[in-house]
Amino acid sequence: MPSNGGHSLSGSRSADPVLVADLGATYLRVALARDGRLGQVLRWRTADLATDSSLGLIPGIVDAMREVLGAASNREPSGAQGAMEPVAVGLGVPAAVDRDGRLRWTLDSSLPSGTVIRDAIQTAVGVPVAIDNDAN
């Protein structure tokens, strides 16, 4: 089954910041990428992330993304306007993801199968989200 999470990040310019995240079995890594460069990568143990009974780790993933954006904004020169407003989010997860951004198969119980993870994160951060299996 082809997997692209149902969303393409094409159309953004290389200077536009994109929030990137990799969720693994034991860690979540999140960074801001801009101009083809990856910024500081922050890491959380998945066991320490906030969870929800129906959304699993999604609230913790969103909290981590907001923390990275806040830290990056604090490093920007004063007067920089909208410097840390990402145009999109890219997320790799240890699960099979269908075109609608729904988790179809996962070994990780912290990400419930059937969850439309793309839409949940997109609603929380307000920008398009591309999601795919982390091995792709």
Side-chain angles (χ1 to χ4, degrees), residues 28 30 42 44 49 59-69:
L28 169 68
V30 183
L42 299 182
W44 292 262
L49 296 173
I61 294 168
V62 170
D63 290 346
M65 289 177 173
R66 289 182 176 144
E67 186 174 329
V68 167
L69 290 173

Side-chain angles (χ1 to χ4, degrees), residues 1-94:
M1 163 178 19
S3 171
N4 68 0
H7 217 300
S8 169
L9 297 181
S10 63
S12 66
R13 301 180 319 256
S14 66
D16 292 334
V18 175
L19 196 58
V20 294
D22 175 41
L23 179 65
T26 56
Y27 287 97
L28 169 68
R29 292 169 182 85
V30 183
L32 198 63
R34 184 170 32 183
D35 292 328
R37 291 186 210 128
L38 193 60
Q40 179 182 8
V41 178
L42 299 182
R43 176 174 105 157
W44 292 262
R45 286 176 22 95
T46 53
D48 297 336
L49 296 173
T51 61
D52 175 270
S53 60
S54 63
L55 296 174
L57 286 175
I58 294 172
I61 294 168
V62 170
D63 290 346
M65 289 177 173
R66 289 182 176 144
E67 186 174 329
V68 167
L69 290 173
S73 293
N74 290 336
R75 288 191 302 270
E76 281 298 305
S78 54
Q81 300 239 337
M84 290 305 120
E85 293 297 322
V87 295
V89 170
L91 173 64
V93 295

Side-chain angles (χ1 to χ4, degrees), residues 1-8 55 58 91 93 95-105 111-122 129-133:
M1 163 178 19
S3 171
N4 68 0
H7 217 300
S8 169
L55 296 174
I58 294 172
L91 173 64
V93 295
V97 182
D98 70 14
R99 292 184 188 273
D100 295 324
R102 178 177 289 114
L103 300 178
R104 286 293 179 195
W105 173 84
L111 290 170
S113 292
T115 302
V116 185
I117 189 170
R118 184 198 64 210
D119 293 351
I121 293 175
Q122 188 167 302
V129 174
I131 182 171
D132 206 345
N133 179 274

